[in-house]
Amino acid sequence: MFLVGLTGGIASGKSSVVAVLQELGCAVIDADVIARQVVQPGLPAYQRLVCAFGPEILAESGEINREALGNIVFSQPEKRRLLNSITHPAIQKEMLKQILKYFVLGYRYVILDIPLLFEIGTMTRFMKHTVLVYCDPQTQLSRLMCRNGLTQAEAEARIGAQLPLSQKVKMADHVIDNSGSEGAMKRQVLKLHSSLEDSLDFVWVRLVAVAAVAGVGGLVYFLLRRLVS
């Protein structure tokens, strides 16, 4: 099994690509979903966030108000770094658990849906392939304004807070251009899925895992024999 990092930009249409991959039966681990799970009330990351940012980030229900927290960290890089230092270790731990589950189930590859894959940088070294969902700047701007009800200036500020898609294109192994029709996007996803399914990369990972297990088993057997004798 090998890992495929999937990313995009705000309003680039990554969710639509993920939906197609899931329809194809692919294993997808969503970092955003996990990010919500690890900050539920009572969990360690929740307690640390409240201590770091204060009760103003809480909704009436007691859960983290993601919009309020987002407004704090959006224009303050030091606050954003603090947020990441609290949440990222918990997110990565849960992602590892899910990766191991899919490995045991025999999947050829697992897709890690990570919105800030290239911005964070530390995760890319674990990916055999990286995939970027791209759309042209004007399409991205109009989609964001329509989806979130933002003015052009507000939408441009949100887009400007991320690495430009034009820069991410140079960093990705594969690019799905989602500027056009849904049908065109689906054809690109199917082509990508087919190439990943046909890849033999997963064979080497399984061979290494089997060798490691066999080595440990042999060592345990040797030690037991020594103890018995």
Side-chain angles (χ1 to χ4, degrees), residues 16-222:
S16 299
V17 170
V18 168
V20 175
L21 289 166
Q22 289 175 326
E23 288 175 3
L24 293 169
C26 297
V28 179
I29 298 174
D30 189 329
D32 266 352
V33 171
I34 294 175
R36 292 185 181 93
Q37 293 172 343
V38 299
V39 296
Q40 289 299 304
L43 295 179
Y46 172 90
Q47 305 292 350
R48 292 185 63 194
L49 284 178
V50 175
C51 289
F53 294 95
E56 58 267 28
I57 65 168
L58 297 178
E60 291 183 4
S61 64
E63 296 183 339
I64 300 293
N65 184 328
R66 289 171 63 87
E67 183 178 355
L69 182 57
N71 289 336
I72 293 173
V73 304
F74 177 67
S75 58
Q76 301 182 65
E78 71 282 359
K79 295 288 189 181
R80 196 179 311 134
R81 286 192 290 270
L82 176 59
L83 170 65
N84 291 341
S85 70
I86 293 172
T87 59
H88 285 179
I91 293 169
Q92 291 171 6
K93 183 178 179 180
E94 180 58 31
M95 291 179 78
L96 180 58
K97 289 180 182 178
Q98 295 192 25
I99 289 168
L100 291 174
K101 177 187 73 175
Y102 287 121
F103 177 80
V104 171
L105 291 173
Y107 279 77
R108 287 173 176 255
Y109 68 93
V110 173
I111 298 168
L112 303 185
D113 179 358
I114 307 175
L116 300 180
L117 176 65
F118 293 128
E119 285 87 344
I120 297 171
T122 56
M123 296 291 289
T124 54
R125 67 179 182 271
F126 301 111
M127 307 301 161
K128 184 66 179 179
H129 301 271
T130 55
V131 181
L132 172 71
V133 180
Y134 170 87
C135 70
D136 63 75
Q138 187 54 50
T139 299
Q140 184 182 26
L141 181 64
S142 60
R143 282 178 181 171
L144 183 57
M145 291 172 63
C146 181
R147 188 188 75 183
N148 291 35
L150 303 176
T151 66
Q152 182 171 334
E154 290 171 334
E156 287 174 344
R158 294 289 181 92
I159 293 172
Q162 298 183 348
L163 280 178
L165 286 174
S166 58
Q167 186 174 341
K168 292 182 181 182
V169 165
K170 300 173 185 177
M171 304 167 74
D173 300 317
H174 309 273
V175 176
I176 295 174
D177 189 344
N178 199 16
S179 305
S181 67
E182 182 180 0
M185 176 270 289
K186 285 185 175 181
R187 286 191 291 274
Q188 294 176 72
V189 175
L190 286 169
K191 182 178 179 181
L192 172 66
H193 174 61
S194 178
S195 67
L196 293 175
E197 278 287 297
D198 291 341
S199 171
L200 295 178
D201 292 329
F202 78 99
V203 174
W204 297 109
V205 177
R206 290 213 167 264
L207 286 175
V208 169
V210 170
V213 171
V216 171
L219 178 60
V220 171
Y221 177 76
F222 173 77

Side-chain angles (χ1 to χ4, degrees), residues 224-229:
L224 288 174
R225 285 291 301 272
R226 295 278 293 183
L227 287 170
V228 171
S229 61

Side-chain angles (χ1 to χ4, degrees), residues 1-16:
M1 189 187 77
F2 57 92
L3 303 180
V4 178
L6 177 69
T7 191
I10 188 169
S12 68
K14 180 169 60 65
S15 297
S16 299

